[in-house]
Each structure stands twice: as C-alpha cells, then as structure tokens.
C-alpha cells in the first residue's frame, strides 16, 4: 500500500493486487508501463493498434486492450495481468486447460487469449461454441491453433461448472 502525497506526474496503479507508483507521461499506454516499468512481460505487444488482442488485460474484471489504454486512464481501477490470474498457487482453470489441450504453438497470443477467455467464463460458465467464437473474435492467433483454443475454453468451462472453480 502506497501512502502519502505523490510527486509530480506520479500516480498509483493497482496491478494484481499490488499498488505501484508509476509516472507515465502523457498518453503512454498501460502496456508499456506493465512491461517496461513493472517488468510484467507476460502481456504481449502485437499490433499496437487494438487489432490482435495480444495485450489483453483485465480492468476491474473486464478485458481491455492495454496497447490502446493510456495508463493515466485507469485511475483507481484494478488491473489483472496473466501474472495475477492464478490464485493461491493454483492456475486458473483456463491456464490449466490451455496446457492440457496444448492450445499454443509459438504462444505469443496465449496470454491475451487466456485473459479474454477468463473474462468470458467469469460472466458465462456455459458458453456455446458460437458465443466463444464471437467473444474471442478480437484475439488473433497467427499460428492458427483456434480449434485447440476452443477446446481449452470449453474444457475450462466444464471444469468451472463441476468444481465451482
Ligand atoms: S497489441 Fe494490443 S491489440 Fe494488438
Ligand atoms: S500460438 Fe502462435 S500466435 Fe497463437
């Protein structure tokens, strides 16, 4: 917890439950602050234009494109990155089913896929294939392992329903 007044351009940023003090100038993207200032390199830079989803993180549980989101725009919102998705030393069900299904080739898209998929499952633990495809439409996999990604999301949904994970 950071207390006391902040100097200059400094602002607080809550990431994975930890409050950091950062000094993002102007419109500097959240993605740059996460990767370069906080060392959270699990979130990837893909297109930088909001088109690929590689940079997806959660803001108060909702998926956002961190490449297009100015860090200053986050305010007091809570950011979750792939590094913060596991709880109590246990992988999120979707992290586990991505591993189980081998839902990656180069894995560059994987953290963004998992963050988007986790946001879907948080609001719909029984999505149809069509709902999954529609929700994940903005996440691009250049290696084309979409069928395994779909299987991983369906597997995680089943696990969440059965375990209440
Ligand atoms: S890097 Fe953000 S959407 Fe592609
Ligand atoms: S696994 Fe390579 S981009 Fe998706």
């Amino acid at each position: 917890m950071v207390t006391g007044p902040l100097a200059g351009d400094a602002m607080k940023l809550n990431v994975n439950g930890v409050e950091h003090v950062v000094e993002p100038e102007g419109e500097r993207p959240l993605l740059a602050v996460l990767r370069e200032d906080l060392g959270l390199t699990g979130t990837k830079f893909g297109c930088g234009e909001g088109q690929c989803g590689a940079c997806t993180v959660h803001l108060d549980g909702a998926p956002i494109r961190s490449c297009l989101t100015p860090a200053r725009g986050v305010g007091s919102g809570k950011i979750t990155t792939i590094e913060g998705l596991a709880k109590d030393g246990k992988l999120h069900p979707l992290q586990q089913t991505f591993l189980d299904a081998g839902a990656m080739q180069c894995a560059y898209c994987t953290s963004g896929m998992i963050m988007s998929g986790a946001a879907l499952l948080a609001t719909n633990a029984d999505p149809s294939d069509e709902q999954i495809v529609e929700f994940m439409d903005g996440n691009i996999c250049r290696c084309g392992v979409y069928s395994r990604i779909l299987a991983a999301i369906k597997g995680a949904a089943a696990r969440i329903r059965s375990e209440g994970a």
Side-chain angles (χ1 to χ4, degrees), residues 32-94:
V33 172
L34 292 172
R35 288 180 56 82
E36 297 164 16
D37 298 4
L38 303 183
L40 297 171
T41 55
T43 307
K44 301 303 183 192
F45 180 94
C47 63
E49 298 177 348
Q51 301 295 319
C52 75
C55 65
T56 304
V57 299
H58 295 175
L59 172 57
D60 293 330
I64 61 166
R65 302 293 189 245
S66 62
C67 70
L68 292 183
T69 305
R72 293 203 166 277
V74 171
S76 60
K78 291 183 169 48
I79 298 293
T80 305
T81 70
I82 190 72
E83 290 91 345
L85 203 57
K87 289 281 178 287
D88 301 324
K90 188 176 178 204
L91 292 178
H92 184 284
L94 194 49

